[in-house]
Amino acid sequence: MGAGRQTQTFTFSEGAKQNSSPSIAGKARNLRKIDLGGVIFGCTRHTMKECLSNQIFGLPGVHFSYIKNVEPGLPLFLFNYTDRQLLGIYEAASNGEMNINPYGWSQDGHERTQYPAQVRICVRRQCKPLTENQYRPIIADNYYTKVHFRFELDHAQTCGLISLFETLPKAISVNPQISCTPMWVSKHDKKAENENAFTSVSDGYVAQSDHANIMPGSQTEIPQYSSKGNILHDMNPNLNVNSDWDSSPMQFNFEPSSLIAAPSEDKDHQNLQPGLHTVEGENDEDLQLSVVEKDQVNCYPTCEGKNTPSGFDCEPKVPSSTLEKHEEVPINSSVLQSLMCQLRKEFEELKVQQLQKTSVLEKKLTESEIQVKQLTVRVKELESQLVPSVACVKSTAAKETSKELIDELSVGVNELVFLIGGFDGTSWLSDLDCYSPSTDSVKSLRPMSLVRSYAAASALNGEIYVFGGGDGTLWYNTVESYSPQRSEWTPRPSLTHKKGCLGGVALHNRIYAIGGGDGVNCYSDVEMFDPAVGKWIRTQSMLHQRFSGAAVELNGVIYAAGGFDGDYYLNSVERFDPREVVSWSRIPSMNTRRGCHSLVVLNEKLYALGGYDGKKMISSVEVYDPRMQSWIEHQSMEEPRGYSTAAVVGDSIFVISGLQDGKILTNTVECYKEDHGWRTSNLKGVGKRCFFAGLVV
């Protein structure tokens, strides 16, 4: 639902093409942040160098639903599609973000990346790669075809991979190794800096500007839309939107810094066991122990006695005369190798036991948290049943808090509002939440398969259909439905073309997708989905183009009001009755021009709430009674807002969150009931959210 000033025009391109990599063929596991133990990223033999030299891994944008849960220190692995080997062990050096490097893995570094879901990385331990026969049993549950697997790992899988990697020798490399050190080079490393210049490769995994985050110093806080021909533009003068829109739809300015990998100072230490110092002779079998100070030579990582395996001394038995002379004592190679193998074996056994115990504890902790949340929800349900009915409430004056007033006004305490996708001021969301105004509680349900905002939603046959919208970069034509009974999402036939900021109405066992736009064009067309036909069909178009308009159904008739036509914000309203006519007809116009507003039905009347009039957000409210054939100015809301969600619960209207003037998101909820007027409640359960869809099923 974008809207803005009509005095600015920006160029707009088609944007990045969808990637057909196998990594996006299967759905994500959608693990919660607490359940996410690690992530596998992808590369090819051509792009591996760029991944490691720039210390950035990345995936296509559709994977951001779980990449956003990556935090520093999370274990990471790199999958090489060329030879299907798994490399490790890496770890995240930053949070998962969009477009850390907007031009990575592109031709000469001049094109927007196809892999914007990115994270900075460092090496935890450089090990030899695992073959698919080695790692496949550990991540067997992630395979959804014979050769394709999901990249999200739970804690048990991550521990299993780390354990398997650590049982192998460390990898030997003559190239500089990336590390967890800061990504700059000191003066004495300038030569290495010049030798390791940043390079780009045309294909491979991983980065676009951070469209989701409101970042200090960035030119754009929240994406909006322009005027005729290019409808991406500012909501108002206080919202600064950059003019660099010609490289990709809905993108932001971002200045990528050069990334230089600091070379490792020690190439040989990776192949040494802790405490053992070796000297290479002319023959590899001629292995000797270089004697150093006695307190510097250990045969085990810890030398406190507690962690040392029984049967082994912490210090090697070297004659004192030899120590005084600091001479090299030859040691039989086979004896030393046997000792090293035995030490390594016992050390790995201890580590595996510790990992197993940790995994069991984490599983119990997760189960306990789930039980606590379930009990919390159950307690709130029981408390809601104790709320007295409206007939038993004595008077409004006797109420001490606004929440008690909301409870009185809400007749149907069990009616719930479903909140879908949107933007929380930091991230684009794929969340599906169930909100109860009577208890001010939010329950998180299974998220959508994609990040989705500016979408429309309608209920049909007991399921919630979500269609169109975008992810802040690309517009969608995809459709999916959610079944509350089964708690699962199902892909549905797509719209005829990509669009967002559209209206959605269910009528006579059909769904109508009304108006909208694709960032370049405003649409007047209407698409209809009939489950019996199984596809979307073009039907009679509206009289006006309506981008960020609003639509609703009343008594078998569809009403469409307001919106942006590419030149102006509209106050016109039209109706469509499929039982009587085959075209849309005009009805009296609203008194105020408005877009990105809400339109609801209460007591057989239409309520147009808030929105944007072309200059600012407004709080005005108008009411249309079809029997009177006129719009009447009504009591205004207490706060101006647009891009919010309005829902009728019982005989009350709730207007939830939204966007105020500039870049300000609100977390307030206003409630309206006839003869009581508007009141701002103390309900804060939803939090800050805008560009989202909502409905009552």
Side-chain angles (χ1 to χ4, degrees):
M1 300 181 183
R5 304 176 64 191
Q6 61 207 33
T7 57
Q8 279 184 291
T9 301
F10 302 98
T11 58
F12 193 94
S13 68
E14 281 298 319
K17 297 180 179 179
Q18 290 290 349
N19 182 275
S20 59
S21 168
S23 64
I24 64 174
K27 294 182 179 179
R29 296 181 66 187
N30 292 313
L31 297 177
R32 300 178 305 169
K33 179 180 289 189
I34 191 175
D35 299 323
L36 186 65
V39 174
I40 298 175
F41 285 79
C43 71
T44 66
R45 61 184 177 86
H46 300 292
T47 59
M48 186 187 305
K49 178 180 178 181
E50 185 172 356
C51 292
L52 299 180
S53 64
N54 296 339
Q55 303 187 37
I56 297 180
F57 291 170
L59 291 170
V62 295
H63 294 268
F64 188 65
S65 60
Y66 59 88
I67 295 300
K68 67 181 180 181
N69 294 331
V70 173
E71 295 180 340
L74 189 77
L76 306 176
F77 308 93
L78 190 61
F79 173 68
N80 186 343
Y81 276 99
T82 304
D83 54 21
R84 300 194 64 80
Q85 289 186 337
L86 193 66
L87 288 73
I89 306 167
Y90 307 95
E91 68 178 47
S94 72
N95 291 322
E97 300 176 10
M98 291 292 286
N99 300 295
I100 297 176
N101 179 3
Y103 302 98
W105 305 275
S106 61
Q107 184 67 35
D108 299 325
H110 297 310
E111 299 178 1
R112 304 296 296 191
T113 183
Q114 296 185 9
Y115 313 103
Q118 302 172 1
V119 62
R120 297 189 188 278
I121 64 99
C122 60
V123 172
R124 176 181 293 185
R125 171 171 175 159
Q126 193 72 34
C127 302
K128 287 187 176 180
L130 298 176
T131 64
E132 189 162 14
N133 289 336
Q134 291 175 308
Y135 64 76
R136 183 183 183 105
I138 297 178
I139 63 170
D141 293 340
N142 284 23
Y143 277 83
Y144 57 92
T145 70
K146 184 176 180 180
V147 295
H148 297 152
F149 54 84
R150 298 176 178 87
F151 286 168
E152 295 170 85
L153 304 174
D154 56 37
H155 292 287
Q157 291 173 329
T158 302
C159 291
L161 288 178
I162 291 176
S163 175
L164 185 58
F165 269 113
E166 292 182 342
T167 59
L168 301 176
K170 294 183 179 179
I172 302 176
S173 175
V174 296
N175 296 323
Q177 299 297 319
I178 58 176
S179 64
C180 292
T181 58
M183 296 179 62
W184 56 79
V185 180
S186 60
K187 293 181 179 179
H188 66 274
D189 289 327
K190 286 295 182 181
K191 180 178 180 181
E193 177 180 347
N194 296 332
E195 295 174 354
N196 291 277
F198 181 86
T199 59
S200 297
V201 182
S202 60
D203 62 334
Y205 260 116
V206 184
Q208 193 162 17
S209 67
D210 194 332
H211 60 274
N213 294 329
I214 297 180
M215 299 172 57
S218 65
Q219 296 186 13
T220 300
E221 307 296 351
I222 298 175
Q224 303 300 335
Y225 302 85
S226 169
S227 60
K228 186 174 183 180
N230 297 293
I231 57 181
L232 291 168
H233 57 345
D234 282 338
M235 178 67 64
N236 57 56
N238 297 324
L239 185 60
N240 297 323
V241 181
N242 69 54
S243 59
D244 187 18
W245 292 82
D246 55 342
S247 59
S248 179
M250 301 172 66
Q251 72 181 32
F252 301 85
N253 263 345
F254 186 83
E255 294 296 332
S257 58
S258 298
L259 305 180
I260 302 175
S264 173
E265 297 180 357
D266 186 356
K267 301 177 182 177
D268 298 326
H269 70 281
Q270 295 182 353
N271 296 311
L272 299 180
Q273 293 300 317
L276 293 180
H277 299 255
T278 63
V279 179
E280 290 189 6
E282 296 181 357
N283 192 320
D284 291 340
E285 296 180 356
D286 185 15
L287 186 64
Q288 296 179 329
L289 178 67
S290 177
V291 180
V292 296
E293 293 297 330
K294 184 175 182 180
D295 58 356
Q296 295 179 350
V297 181
N298 298 320
C299 59
Y300 201 73
T302 58
C303 195
E304 302 296 332
K306 298 180 180 179
N307 298 325
T308 306
S310 58
F312 294 93
D313 294 329
C314 289
E315 300 176 354
K317 304 303 182 179
V318 182
S320 59
S321 60
T322 304
L323 292 173
E324 293 175 357
K325 295 179 181 181
H326 294 276
E327 297 177 351
E328 295 182 354
V329 180
I331 298 179
N332 186 286
S333 175
S334 61
V335 174
L336 180 59
Q337 290 180 356
S338 176
L339 176 63
M340 291 170 58
C341 291
Q342 189 170 357
L343 286 172
R344 185 184 299 112
K345 181 179 180 181
E346 294 198 13
F347 181 72
E348 295 300 335
E349 288 177 353
L350 290 173
K351 181 172 291 186
V352 170
Q353 293 176 5
Q354 184 64 32
L355 289 173
Q356 291 175 346
K357 292 180 180 179
T358 302
S359 177
V360 171
L361 291 175
E362 289 178 345
K363 182 178 180 181
K364 291 183 178 179
L365 177 61
T366 302
E367 292 175 350
S368 299
E369 291 178 345
I370 294 174
Q371 292 177 356
V372 169
K373 290 183 178 180
Q374 292 174 343
L375 290 174
T376 302
V377 172
R378 181 57 179 163
V379 168
K380 289 183 177 180
E381 291 177 352
L382 293 175
E383 289 177 348
S384 67
Q385 296 176 6
L386 299 177
V387 177
S389 64
V390 176
C392 297
V393 178
K394 295 180 180 180
S395 66
T396 303
K399 297 300 180 182
E400 297 180 356
T401 66
S402 58
K403 184 177 185 303
E404 291 175 335
L405 178 61
I406 298 301
D407 289 340
E408 177 184 351
L409 298 179
S410 302
V411 175
V413 295
N414 292 323
E415 293 189 78
L416 304 173
V417 183
F418 289 86
L419 309 177
I420 305 161
F423 181 70
D424 64 4
T426 302
S427 304
W428 301 99
L429 307 174
S430 61
D431 301 349
L432 172 64
D433 299 314
C434 186
Y435 175 62
S436 170
S438 62
T439 60
D440 192 31
S441 61
V442 175
K443 180 180 180 181
S444 295
L445 304 176
R446 184 182 295 275
M448 295 178 286
S449 60
L450 296 173
V451 172
R452 195 185 294 265
S453 59
Y454 305 107
S458 295
L460 180 66
N461 297 329
E463 295 193 11
I464 300 172
Y465 283 71
V466 184
F467 40 97
D471 63 356
T473 302
L474 301 174
W475 295 107
Y476 299 150
N477 64 347
T478 57
V479 182
E480 51 189 320
S481 68
Y482 176 78
S483 170
Q485 290 77 19
R486 301 191 306 272
S487 185
E488 65 181 19
W489 288 91
T490 303
R492 297 295 183 181
S494 298
L495 299 168
T496 58
H497 54 273
K498 299 177 181 179
K499 63 179 74 174
C501 297
L502 68 165
V505 172
L507 177 63
H508 302 323
N509 202 36
R510 298 180 178 91
I511 295 177
Y512 292 82
I514 303 168
D518 62 359
V520 176
N521 303 302
C522 298
Y523 296 133
S524 61
D525 65 349
V526 179
E527 299 183 46
M528 179 186 70
F529 175 73
D530 187 340
V533 178
K535 65 179 181 178
W536 291 85
I537 303 172
R538 291 280 189 90
T539 185
Q540 186 65 42
S541 296
M542 296 182 291
L543 303 176
H544 294 278
Q545 298 172 344
R546 299 185 186 275
F547 180 82
S548 286
V552 73
E553 178 269 335
L554 172 60
N555 295 330
V557 178
I558 300 175
Y559 293 85
F564 182 69
D565 68 356
D567 288 310
Y568 304 102
Y569 282 86
L570 307 175
N571 61 351
S572 63
V573 185
E574 49 190 304
R575 71 192 294 273
F576 177 73
D577 188 344
R579 301 166 299 184
E580 300 177 358
V581 296
V582 294
S583 63
W584 290 78
S585 59
R586 186 187 299 274
I587 66 172
S589 298
M590 297 181 291
N591 299 291
T592 303
R593 299 176 183 271
R594 63 183 82 215
C596 66
H597 56 293
S598 299
L599 191 66
V600 297
V601 175
L602 177 65
N603 296 334
E604 304 292 315
K605 301 174 185 177
L606 303 183
Y607 283 74
L609 312 170
Y612 182 70
D613 65 359
K615 298 180 180 179
K616 64 182 183 304
M617 289 290 185
I618 57 178
S619 60
S620 69
V621 176
E622 298 183 56
V623 180
Y624 177 78
D625 189 339
R627 295 164 293 187
M628 302 297 294
Q629 292 288 306
S630 64
W631 289 88
I632 301 174
E633 292 282 354
H634 203 274
Q635 177 189 353
S636 297
M637 296 184 292
E638 297 191 1
E639 295 181 6
R641 70 178 80 204
Y643 297 114
S644 57
T645 282
V648 176
V649 178
D651 59 355
S652 301
I653 300 174
F654 290 89
V655 182
I656 303 169
S657 301
L659 185 70
Q660 296 181 336
D661 281 335
K663 59 187 179 183
I664 302 174
L665 279 76
T666 180
N667 62 351
T668 61
V669 176
E670 293 192 50
C671 179
Y672 171 82
K673 180 179 174 66
E674 287 187 341
D675 302 328
H676 289 78
W678 289 95
R679 296 177 184 270
T680 301
S681 68
N682 289 329
L683 305 179
K684 305 289 184 181
V686 174
K688 294 182 178 181
R689 195 165 181 170
C690 61
F691 313 142
F692 63 114
L695 76 164
V696 175
V697 178

